[in-house]
Amino acid sequence: MSLLSISHLSSGYAGGFTIRDVCLEVKPGTVVGIIGPNGSGKSTLLSTVMGDLSPMSGSISLGEKDLKQLSRRERACAISVVSQMIDPIAITLRDYVAMGRLPHHPPLYYFESSADQEVVERSIRLVGLESLADRYMTELSGGEQQMGAIAQALCVEPRLLLLDEATAHLDITHTVRVLSLVRSLAQNKVRPLTIIAVLHDLTMASEYCDYLVLMRKGQVYAQGSPEEVLTEEHIGEVYRMPVSITPHPISGRPMVLPRMA
Ligand code: ADP
Ligand code: MG
């Protein structure tokens, strides 16, 4: 049974860009990578899954329910999103992370329970930000703010986590930390998290994702395992750039290297 089922989805902006006929089945505990050139519709797809854009046709279901059947609050408890742009506010990182608990409480009746506090502290620990918990978000680096946003999204305890270029401001150590973390959360036997991550680094996508969706001009050009999707023909055609693909010396997963002129 899929956690997320997208069937013949079209969505986009009235009179403008649309994604068309997107079909995707995501099993619980899977890390899905969305790849494709700038402007190919990756964020439009995630915004539609998040419910910020309504499908023009086709459907999206989460578990057994069509997304349209879920209330705003149910959706906010089930799906959390981290985007590339973070708008830092002048509150401590701990309070910022705690905002992830808001959808679990009725509006205006938010009293942080000890159970909430435990989730907040655990989320901060998972991303390794314990030493910065009392600092103001506005006093953190872009990368630290981004890790804070990831902690807030984990604090929601969602079933589905959407990462839209959420590692864009991170150095290689923090990128690996985040991707290893999401992979280990996906592998949790009791409560597996399911992740859909827009990634630009094709080798990272190959290494950390179970399944890849390659988008081109609003449509799915190819989907499948990293080996099936990351071929020299697919990447050369979609990115209009010659690449060499070679197995990673340790993992054996495909590595994508631009072919230098
Ligand atoms: P990607 O995330 O793959 O880079 P997007 O899904 O953000 O691409 O954008 C796809 C296309 O939709 C782009 O051509 C972009 O200009 C257009 N677009 C994005 N957001 C809007 C919007 N709010 N209104 C109209 N067009 C938009
Ligand atoms: Mg985008």
Side-chain angles (χ1 to χ4, degrees), residues 35-51:
I35 55 175
N38 292 330
S40 57
K42 304 179 298 296
S43 295
T44 305
L45 174 59
L46 287 204
S47 298
T48 314
V49 172
M50 191 58 203

Side-chain angles (χ1 to χ4, degrees), residues 165-186:
E165 296 187 41
T167 53
H169 296 296
L170 302 181
D171 63 32
I172 188 166
T173 316
H174 286 89
T175 302
V176 166
R177 179 172 192 141
V178 168
L179 295 176
S180 312
L181 172 64
V182 296
R183 191 169 57 182
S184 72
L185 294 171

Side-chain angles (χ1 to χ4, degrees), residues 1 11 32 49 71 90 97 109 118 157 173 188 212 232 237:
M1 169 87 193
S11 171
V32 176
V49 172
S71 69
V97 173
Y109 284 90
E118 257 174 52
E157 298 192 298
T173 316
N188 187 304
L212 294 179
E232 293 180 358
E237 175 68 25

Side-chain angles (χ1 to χ4, degrees), residues 18 23 88 97 110 113 122 130 132 138 149 174 178 192 195 245 251:
T18 55
C23 295
V97 173
Y110 178 61
S113 68
R122 188 172 66 235
E130 300 93 314
L132 299 178
T138 41
H174 286 89
V178 168
I195 295 107
I245 298 198
S251 68

Side-chain angles (χ1 to χ4, degrees), residues 74-206:
E74 284 174 323
R75 223 166 43 205
C77 288
I79 308 176
S80 65
V81 64
V82 183
S83 59
Q84 184 186 358
M85 298 298 294
I86 288 146
D87 208 1
I89 41 178
I91 58 173
T92 65
L93 173 75
R94 179 175 281 107
D95 287 344
Y96 180 77
V97 173
M99 284 165 64
R101 299 310 297 162
L102 286 173
H104 293 277
H105 298 273
L108 308 177
Y109 284 90
Y110 178 61
F111 299 106
E112 212 175 274
S113 68
S114 58
D116 285 325
Q117 280 166 15
E118 257 174 52
V119 183
V120 172
E121 297 309 319
R122 188 172 66 235
S123 306
I124 292 172
R125 260 197 324 275
L126 279 173
V127 299
L129 288 180
E130 300 93 314
S131 63
L132 299 178
D134 295 314
R135 291 262 296 275
Y136 280 93
M137 280 296 282
T138 41
E139 293 168 358
L140 301 179
S141 74
E144 289 162 348
Q145 288 170 359
Q146 202 154 36
M147 295 297 276
I150 292 165
Q152 186 191 71
L154 294 175
C155 193
V156 175
E157 298 192 298
R159 297 168 74 191
L160 177 65
L161 173 65
L162 306 178
L163 301 175
D164 193 354
E165 296 187 41
T167 53
H169 296 296
L170 302 181
D171 63 32
I172 188 166
T173 316
H174 286 89
T175 302
V176 166
R177 179 172 192 141
V178 168
L179 295 176
S180 312
L181 172 64
V182 296
R183 191 169 57 182
S184 72
L185 294 171
Q187 287 166 352
N188 187 304
K189 291 273 179 291
V190 184
R191 204 174 182 281
L193 180 63
T194 305
I195 295 107
I196 303 183
V198 172
L199 295 167
H200 272 306
D201 187 318
L202 301 177
T203 298
M204 287 287 184
S206 169

